[in-house]
Amino acid sequence: MNLELLITGLSLGAVYALVALGFVIVFKASEVLNFAHGSLVVAGAYVTARTHEALGFFGAVVAGIIAAALAALIIERVLVRPIRNAPVISLAIMTIGVEVVMNTELVRQMGVEILPLGHPWGAATFALGDMVVPVNRAMAIVTAVVIIGIFLLAFRFSSWGVSMRAAAEDRETAELVGLKLGRISMVSWIIAGALAAVAGIFLTGAPTPGLAPSLAVIAMRAFPAAIIGGLDSVAGALAGGMIIGLVEAFAVGYQSELSFLGRGIGEVMPFIVMIIVLIVRPQGLFGRKEFVRA
């Protein structure tokens, strides 16, 4: 096995898992499939890029996280909440519209420039056996594992996690026993926005030169990760992210051997895997199967 491709796949998968976790949290709390999540990734990275010279990198990261979380909160409060009882398809289409508007404006603001985010580790690398690994990739893996580990514990042991699981299980019953679904939904969107910003910061680090308009497209490759893992599973977000990251890295790495499948096979391979998984297991690898009484 090519170990360099393995490290690349794991680091990509770690970032995709953070984005997929945002999809999962929002879906569990509000039953909304948020297609605007890719633009939240770009928004967080964009604010970080524009403020790092004035605030320093870590101050800019905080600003980027706050901006993405605030944008997510506005989407939830202003656009989604007023029609929260609308059919699921209507809510999903609403977020597609938001994605188009936000992404168009962000691209207009960025222009054709590639914006650096001022990562203090820059393009630094370290040796791992015979491989040279970018520090950014290693930090992405560690950060994703820590964050997802915290969320797994929070879902199981915190009152917020218990409330969210109860809301995801049966919203009407959860409301009857006094759970404030509006507050749970609001907090979940804020957290998802913050996670998107963190993912954007690592997606624009080495070996990527910086923030480019294509980031939203790259971020949306995490959508298959959420679907593959199961939209109601936090562990599934991690597994789905890793699967997509590895599949993409190896498809790109063996592009020449796979040339009979056409150019750019690495970019579409996540969606091919998603289709295959949905055919075999429609609820995702870790998702719960819904039983309907005949």
Side-chain angles (χ1 to χ4, degrees):
M1 178 179 289
N2 189 320
L3 291 179
E4 189 168 349
L5 291 180
L6 178 64
I7 295 294
T8 300
L10 290 176
S11 62
L12 266 179
V15 179
Y16 287 162
L18 288 178
V19 183
L21 183 58
F23 279 111
V24 169
I25 290 174
V26 167
F27 187 79
K28 284 174 76 75
S30 56
E31 296 184 338
V32 175
L33 193 51
N34 180 23
F35 286 99
H37 205 60
S39 287
L40 295 177
V41 174
V42 181
Y46 176 75
V47 172
T48 304
R50 289 299 189 195
T51 58
H52 77 88
E53 290 185 356
L55 302 177
F57 176 71
F58 292 104
V61 167
V62 173
I65 290 174
I66 291 174
L70 184 60
L73 174 63
I74 292 172
I75 294 171
E76 195 273 342
R77 289 283 112 173
V78 177
L79 301 174
V80 172
R81 187 173 174 76
I83 60 168
R84 62 185 180 282
N85 294 322
V88 173
I89 186 66
S90 300
L91 291 165
I93 291 172
M94 160 77 83
T95 63
I96 291 173
V98 175
E99 165 72 12
V100 172
V101 172
M102 282 187 67
N103 192 45
T104 301
E105 178 59 22
L106 286 166
V107 169
R108 190 178 72 84
Q109 293 292 334
M110 280 187 277
V112 296
E113 292 181 77
I114 295 179
L115 305 176
L117 270 67
H119 299 82
W121 50 85
T125 59
F126 65 93
L128 185 63
D130 295 332
M131 296 183 300
V132 177
V133 181
V135 172
N136 183 63
R137 293 201 182 283
M139 292 186 69
I141 294 174
V142 173
T143 302
V145 169
V146 170
I147 289 177
I148 292 176
I150 290 172
F151 270 95
L152 285 171
L153 293 174
F155 272 115
R156 185 167 183 80
F157 298 110
S158 73
S159 58
W160 172 74
V162 173
S163 300
M164 177 177 284
R165 283 192 287 136
E169 189 75 28
D170 189 329
R171 294 180 66 80
E172 291 184 359
T173 303
E175 198 163 22
L176 285 174
V177 299
L179 294 182
K180 299 185 181 304
L181 299 185
R183 183 180 300 174
I184 295 170
S185 175
M186 180 182 69
V187 172
S188 301
W189 278 77
I190 290 173
I191 292 173
L195 288 174
V198 174
I201 289 162
F202 284 113
L203 278 173
T204 52
T208 305
L211 173 60
S214 60
L215 179 61
V217 177
I218 297 171
M220 285 306 288
R221 290 183 201 154
F223 178 68
I227 298 297
I228 288 172
L231 273 172
D232 57 356
S233 172
V234 174
L238 176 60
M242 289 301 176
I243 291 170
I244 291 301
L246 289 169
V247 165
E248 182 179 329
F250 277 89
V252 172
Y254 290 98
Q255 175 75 50
S256 58
E257 288 82 353
L258 298 172
S259 58
F260 65 93
L261 293 174
R263 294 174 61 86
I265 186 63
E267 296 174 3
V268 299
M269 190 58 83
F271 296 92
I272 294 174
V273 174
M274 180 186 72
I275 292 169
I276 294 171
V277 170
L278 286 177
I279 291 172
V280 177
R281 191 174 167 81
Q283 70 273 29
L285 298 176
F286 291 82
R288 291 177 307 164
K289 187 174 182 179
E290 292 189 4
F291 293 93
V292 179
R293 190 187 299 274

PDB file of all heavy atoms in Angstrom, residues 87-107:
ATOM      1  N   PRO A  87     -42.526  20.769   4.406  1.00  0.00           N
ATOM      2  CA  PRO A  87     -41.960  19.458   4.031  1.00  0.00           C
ATOM      3  C   PRO A  87     -40.432  19.505   3.971  1.00  0.00           C
ATOM      4  O   PRO A  87     -39.833  20.556   3.689  1.00  0.00           O
ATOM      5  CB  PRO A  87     -42.558  19.219   2.644  1.00  0.00           C
ATOM      6  CG  PRO A  87     -43.813  20.021   2.621  1.00  0.00           C
ATOM      7  CD  PRO A  87     -43.531  21.240   3.444  1.00  0.00           C
ATOM      8  N   VAL A  88     -39.825  18.357   4.240  1.00  0.00           N
ATOM      9  CA  VAL A  88     -38.361  18.267   4.259  1.00  0.00           C
ATOM     10  C   VAL A  88     -37.759  18.739   2.939  1.00  0.00           C
ATOM     11  O   VAL A  88     -36.730  19.420   2.923  1.00  0.00           O
ATOM     12  CB  VAL A  88     -37.934  16.811   4.555  1.00  0.00           C
ATOM     13  CG1 VAL A  88     -36.421  16.648   4.413  1.00  0.00           C
ATOM     14  CG2 VAL A  88     -38.383  16.403   5.941  1.00  0.00           C
ATOM     15  N   ILE A  89     -38.424  18.408   1.825  1.00  0.00           N
ATOM     16  CA  ILE A  89     -37.887  18.785   0.514  1.00  0.00           C
ATOM     17  C   ILE A  89     -37.872  20.299   0.354  1.00  0.00           C
ATOM     18  O   ILE A  89     -36.950  20.863  -0.250  1.00  0.00           O
ATOM     19  CB  ILE A  89     -38.698  18.100  -0.613  1.00  0.00           C
ATOM     20  CG1 ILE A  89     -38.054  18.357  -1.975  1.00  0.00           C
ATOM     21  CG2 ILE A  89     -40.134  18.579  -0.625  1.00  0.00           C
ATOM     22  CD1 ILE A  89     -36.708  17.728  -2.140  1.00  0.00           C
ATOM     23  N   SER A  90     -38.884  20.998   0.913  1.00  0.00           N
ATOM     24  CA  SER A  90     -38.926  22.465   0.815  1.00  0.00           C
ATOM     25  C   SER A  90     -37.771  23.089   1.590  1.00  0.00           C
ATOM     26  O   SER A  90     -37.136  24.047   1.130  1.00  0.00           O
ATOM     27  CB  SER A  90     -40.260  22.985   1.348  1.00  0.00           C
ATOM     28  OG  SER A  90     -41.334  22.459   0.600  1.00  0.00           O
ATOM     29  N   LEU A  91     -37.493  22.539   2.772  1.00  0.00           N
ATOM     30  CA  LEU A  91     -36.382  23.059   3.577  1.00  0.00           C
ATOM     31  C   LEU A  91     -35.046  22.826   2.870  1.00  0.00           C
ATOM     32  O   LEU A  91     -34.166  23.696   2.878  1.00  0.00           O
ATOM     33  CB  LEU A  91     -36.384  22.386   4.950  1.00  0.00           C
ATOM     34  CG  LEU A  91     -37.562  22.764   5.856  1.00  0.00           C
ATOM     35  CD1 LEU A  91     -37.672  21.793   7.023  1.00  0.00           C
ATOM     36  CD2 LEU A  91     -37.406  24.189   6.371  1.00  0.00           C
ATOM     37  N   ALA A  92     -34.903  21.651   2.255  1.00  0.00           N
ATOM     38  CA  ALA A  92     -33.654  21.362   1.543  1.00  0.00           C
ATOM     39  C   ALA A  92     -33.475  22.310   0.361  1.00  0.00           C
ATOM     40  O   ALA A  92     -32.366  22.827   0.117  1.00  0.00           O
ATOM     41  CB  ALA A  92     -33.657  19.908   1.066  1.00  0.00           C
ATOM     42  N   ILE A  93     -34.557  22.566  -0.378  1.00  0.00           N
ATOM     43  CA  ILE A  93     -34.464  23.486  -1.523  1.00  0.00           C
ATOM     44  C   ILE A  93     -34.136  24.893  -1.053  1.00  0.00           C
ATOM     45  O   ILE A  93     -33.371  25.621  -1.697  1.00  0.00           O
ATOM     46  CB  ILE A  93     -35.786  23.454  -2.318  1.00  0.00           C
ATOM     47  CG1 ILE A  93     -35.928  22.099  -3.014  1.00  0.00           C
ATOM     48  CG2 ILE A  93     -35.830  24.571  -3.356  1.00  0.00           C
ATOM     49  CD1 ILE A  93     -37.269  21.882  -3.676  1.00  0.00           C
ATOM     50  N   MET A  94     -34.699  25.281   0.096  1.00  0.00           N
ATOM     51  CA  MET A  94     -34.358  26.590   0.673  1.00  0.00           C
ATOM     52  C   MET A  94     -32.849  26.717   0.890  1.00  0.00           C
ATOM     53  O   MET A  94     -32.225  27.720   0.537  1.00  0.00           O
ATOM     54  CB  MET A  94     -35.086  26.751   2.005  1.00  0.00           C
ATOM     55  CG  MET A  94     -34.480  27.796   2.934  1.00  0.00           C
ATOM     56  SD  MET A  94     -34.874  29.456   2.464  1.00  0.00           S
ATOM     57  CE  MET A  94     -36.500  29.581   3.225  1.00  0.00           C
ATOM     58  N   THR A  95     -32.235  25.671   1.457  1.00  0.00           N
ATOM     59  CA  THR A  95     -30.794  25.750   1.729  1.00  0.00           C
ATOM     60  C   THR A  95     -29.981  25.729   0.430  1.00  0.00           C
ATOM     61  O   THR A  95     -28.886  26.292   0.389  1.00  0.00           O
ATOM     62  CB  THR A  95     -30.339  24.604   2.651  1.00  0.00           C
ATOM     63  OG1 THR A  95     -30.541  23.341   1.998  1.00  0.00           O
ATOM     64  CG2 THR A  95     -31.100  24.628   3.956  1.00  0.00           C
ATOM     65  N   ILE A  96     -30.498  25.085  -0.621  1.00  0.00           N
ATOM     66  CA  ILE A  96     -29.799  25.135  -1.920  1.00  0.00           C
ATOM     67  C   ILE A  96     -29.758  26.582  -2.420  1.00  0.00           C
ATOM     68  O   ILE A  96     -28.739  27.068  -2.910  1.00  0.00           O
ATOM     69  CB  ILE A  96     -30.493  24.221  -2.946  1.00  0.00           C
ATOM     70  CG1 ILE A  96     -30.301  22.747  -2.569  1.00  0.00           C
ATOM     71  CG2 ILE A  96     -29.940  24.463  -4.353  1.00  0.00           C
ATOM     72  CD1 ILE A  96     -31.082  21.778  -3.430  1.00  0.00           C
ATOM     73  N   GLY A  97     -30.892  27.284  -2.273  1.00  0.00           N
ATOM     74  CA  GLY A  97     -30.926  28.688  -2.678  1.00  0.00           C
ATOM     75  C   GLY A  97     -29.954  29.532  -1.880  1.00  0.00           C
ATOM     76  O   GLY A  97     -29.250  30.395  -2.432  1.00  0.00           O
ATOM     77  N   VAL A  98     -29.897  29.279  -0.563  1.00  0.00           N
ATOM     78  CA  VAL A  98     -28.957  30.012   0.285  1.00  0.00           C
ATOM     79  C   VAL A  98     -27.525  29.744  -0.147  1.00  0.00           C
ATOM     80  O   VAL A  98     -26.682  30.651  -0.200  1.00  0.00           O
ATOM     81  CB  VAL A  98     -29.157  29.622   1.768  1.00  0.00           C
ATOM     82  CG1 VAL A  98     -28.106  30.299   2.647  1.00  0.00           C
ATOM     83  CG2 VAL A  98     -30.554  29.997   2.238  1.00  0.00           C
ATOM     84  N   GLU A  99     -27.235  28.482  -0.475  1.00  0.00           N
ATOM     85  CA  GLU A  99     -25.888  28.111  -0.920  1.00  0.00           C
ATOM     86  C   GLU A  99     -25.494  28.894  -2.179  1.00  0.00           C
ATOM     87  O   GLU A  99     -24.390  29.435  -2.276  1.00  0.00           O
ATOM     88  CB  GLU A  99     -25.846  26.602  -1.193  1.00  0.00           C
ATOM     89  CG  GLU A  99     -24.645  26.103  -1.999  1.00  0.00           C
ATOM     90  CD  GLU A  99     -23.350  26.139  -1.205  1.00  0.00           C
ATOM     91  OE1 GLU A  99     -23.416  26.323   0.019  1.00  0.00           O
ATOM     92  OE2 GLU A  99     -22.287  26.004  -1.846  1.00  0.00           O
ATOM     93  N   VAL A 100     -26.414  28.972  -3.133  1.00  0.00           N
ATOM     94  CA  VAL A 100     -26.119  29.679  -4.386  1.00  0.00           C
ATOM     95  C   VAL A 100     -25.851  31.156  -4.119  1.00  0.00           C
ATOM     96  O   VAL A 100     -24.863  31.734  -4.618  1.00  0.00           O
ATOM     97  CB  VAL A 100     -27.294  29.514  -5.375  1.00  0.00           C
ATOM     98  CG1 VAL A 100     -27.088  30.409  -6.599  1.00  0.00           C
ATOM     99  CG2 VAL A 100     -27.421  28.059  -5.813  1.00  0.00           C
ATOM    100  N   VAL A 101     -26.692  31.782  -3.291  1.00  0.00           N
ATOM    101  CA  VAL A 101     -26.531  33.212  -3.006  1.00  0.00           C
ATOM    102  C   VAL A 101     -25.227  33.484  -2.259  1.00  0.00           C
ATOM    103  O   VAL A 101     -24.440  34.366  -2.620  1.00  0.00           O
ATOM    104  CB  VAL A 101     -27.737  33.732  -2.199  1.00  0.00           C
ATOM    105  CG1 VAL A 101     -27.487  35.170  -1.731  1.00  0.00           C
ATOM    106  CG2 VAL A 101     -29.011  33.659  -3.027  1.00  0.00           C
ATOM    107  N   MET A 102     -24.993  32.706  -1.201  1.00  0.00           N
ATOM    108  CA  MET A 102     -23.784  32.928  -0.391  1.00  0.00           C
ATOM    109  C   MET A 102     -22.520  32.674  -1.191  1.00  0.00           C
ATOM    110  O   MET A 102     -21.564  33.452  -1.147  1.00  0.00           O
ATOM    111  CB  MET A 102     -23.806  32.007   0.833  1.00  0.00           C
ATOM    112  CG  MET A 102     -24.711  32.463   1.959  1.00  0.00           C
ATOM    113  SD  MET A 102     -24.516  31.423   3.436  1.00  0.00           S
ATOM    114  CE  MET A 102     -22.833  31.812   3.937  1.00  0.00           C
ATOM    115  N   ASN A 103     -22.506  31.566  -1.943  1.00  0.00           N
ATOM    116  CA  ASN A 103     -21.299  31.222  -2.688  1.00  0.00           C
ATOM    117  C   ASN A 103     -21.011  32.261  -3.771  1.00  0.00           C
ATOM    118  O   ASN A 103     -19.853  32.632  -4.003  1.00  0.00           O
ATOM    119  CB  ASN A 103     -21.452  29.835  -3.312  1.00  0.00           C
ATOM    120  CG  ASN A 103     -20.140  29.307  -3.835  1.00  0.00           C
ATOM    121  OD1 ASN A 103     -19.121  29.395  -3.162  1.00  0.00           O
ATOM    122  ND2 ASN A 103     -20.145  28.781  -5.042  1.00  0.00           N
ATOM    123  N   THR A 104     -22.062  32.754  -4.425  1.00  0.00           N
ATOM    124  CA  THR A 104     -21.872  33.776  -5.461  1.00  0.00           C
ATOM    125  C   THR A 104     -21.260  35.039  -4.870  1.00  0.00           C
ATOM    126  O   THR A 104     -20.327  35.626  -5.436  1.00  0.00           O
ATOM    127  CB  THR A 104     -23.227  34.111  -6.125  1.00  0.00           C
ATOM    128  OG1 THR A 104     -23.767  32.915  -6.698  1.00  0.00           O
ATOM    129  CG2 THR A 104     -23.054  35.150  -7.213  1.00  0.00           C
ATOM    130  N   GLU A 105     -21.773  35.449  -3.717  1.00  0.00           N
ATOM    131  CA  GLU A 105     -21.246  36.668  -3.096  1.00  0.00           C
ATOM    132  C   GLU A 105     -19.809  36.473  -2.599  1.00  0.00           C
ATOM    133  O   GLU A 105     -18.954  37.355  -2.756  1.00  0.00           O
ATOM    134  CB  GLU A 105     -22.156  37.087  -1.931  1.00  0.00           C
ATOM    135  CG  GLU A 105     -21.690  38.321  -1.174  1.00  0.00           C
ATOM    136  CD  GLU A 105     -21.569  39.552  -2.074  1.00  0.00           C
ATOM    137  OE1 GLU A 105     -22.204  39.582  -3.138  1.00  0.00           O
ATOM    138  OE2 GLU A 105     -20.816  40.479  -1.699  1.00  0.00           O
ATOM    139  N   LEU A 106     -19.520  35.307  -2.017  1.00  0.00           N
ATOM    140  CA  LEU A 106     -18.163  35.053  -1.533  1.00  0.00           C
ATOM    141  C   LEU A 106     -17.165  35.018  -2.687  1.00  0.00           C
ATOM    142  O   LEU A 106     -16.062  35.560  -2.585  1.00  0.00           O
ATOM    143  CB  LEU A 106     -18.128  33.741  -0.751  1.00  0.00           C
ATOM    144  CG  LEU A 106     -18.763  33.806   0.643  1.00  0.00           C
ATOM    145  CD1 LEU A 106     -19.003  32.400   1.199  1.00  0.00           C
ATOM    146  CD2 LEU A 106     -17.882  34.601   1.600  1.00  0.00           C
ATOM    147  N   VAL A 107     -17.554  34.383  -3.793  1.00  0.00           N
ATOM    148  CA  VAL A 107     -16.668  34.335  -4.969  1.00  0.00           C
ATOM    149  C   VAL A 107     -16.448  35.741  -5.506  1.00  0.00           C
ATOM    150  O   VAL A 107     -15.337  36.104  -5.917  1.00  0.00           O
ATOM    151  CB  VAL A 107     -17.267  33.413  -6.046  1.00  0.00           C
ATOM    152  CG1 VAL A 107     -16.515  33.560  -7.366  1.00  0.00           C
ATOM    153  CG2 VAL A 107     -17.223  31.960  -5.582  1.00  0.00           C
TER     154      VAL A 107
END
